[in-house]
Amino acid sequence: MRTVVVGASSGLGRCIAIGLAQRGSQVALLARRKARLDSAAREAGPGTLAIACDVTDEASCRAAIEEAARSLGGIDALVYTPAVGPLSRLVDTDADTWRRVFDTNVTGAALITAAAVPHLAATAGTAAFLSSVSASLTPPWPGLGAYIVSKAALDKLVEAWRAEHPDIGFTRLVVGDCVGGEGDSRTEFAEAWEPELAAELVPAWLERGYLSGTLIAVDELVSVIDAVLRGGASLSMPSVTVAPRPDAKEHP
């Protein structure tokens, strides 16, 4: 399976790209940080491609997808993982932050997909987009308003792509709390958060039951994604949720 993973230089994107390669896929890794991509490609194994791509730049998206399709001999699957999630109350979220969040979380997904659609249509392929339980399964989390709104927009974007291209298997992957890897594979989502604001808001998330208290092993997430991608357009999976069981601590 010839797969393009976008956002593969760190965090879950890196784990997913390497995990799919280890499961037998030919993988092209796309992200801005080329040095990290090269390192991930070496870990993934021979034949893995590292292609620089800025999802906020349309020309970069098209060039990266064309390079991936040419080098792989076509594209069977696309996985979009990038996400920006600033911790900020809505009243304190300025226009530049809103633009930055939507540029990566929504517009970037649209640009990459537009470039990949001709190749996915040719193979009756699959496109999967990482969403969040906070966008669809829980009430809004205070302090993550911009992120949650953007993920809700991404969910609707996936539906819109599906409506226009029923020959491609578009899937929304709703992901709960998940543990990443080590080093460059660790999750960087919260690294830029202001510690004082996080100390104030995270207890409220716990009190409201938004955090499960358990984590999905990333290998389990990769296994689900691998199954979704291999299903292709012939298997209808418009939405798949991967989240810890509420009673996971009672049943390890």
Side-chain angles (χ1 to χ4, degrees), residues 1 3 15-17 19-20 23 25 77-79 126-131 169 171-176 178 216-232 235-244:
M1 186 171 59
T3 303
C15 294
I16 290 166
L20 292 176
R23 285 165 172 77
S25 290
L78 170 72
V79 184
T126 304
F129 304 79
L130 262 59
S131 186
T171 299
R172 174 187 69 161
L173 288 163
V174 181
V175 181
C178 184
I216 310 161
V218 71
D219 193 59
E220 295 176 0
L221 173 63
V222 175
S223 293
V224 172
I225 293 173
D226 185 56
V228 168
L229 299 181
R230 292 187 183 280
L235 186 60
S236 178
M237 288 187 286
S239 182
V240 174
T241 299
V242 186

Side-chain angles (χ1 to χ4, degrees), residues 73-151:
I75 297 174
D76 300 304
L78 170 72
V79 184
Y80 191 86
T81 74
V84 174
L87 188 68
S88 174
R89 291 187 175 88
L90 289 174
V91 71
D92 299 320
T93 305
D94 59 23
D96 285 342
T97 300
W98 279 106
R99 291 189 191 98
R100 180 166 58 89
V101 170
F102 267 75
D103 280 351
T104 297
N105 299 5
V106 184
T107 307
L111 295 176
I112 280 287
T113 306
V117 155
H119 304 289
L120 293 171
T123 60
T126 304
F129 304 79
L130 262 59
S131 186
S132 168
V133 295
S134 63
S136 55
L137 300 183
T138 70
W141 300 29
L144 285 179
Y147 169 76
I148 291 168
V149 170
S150 73
K151 284 297 185 181

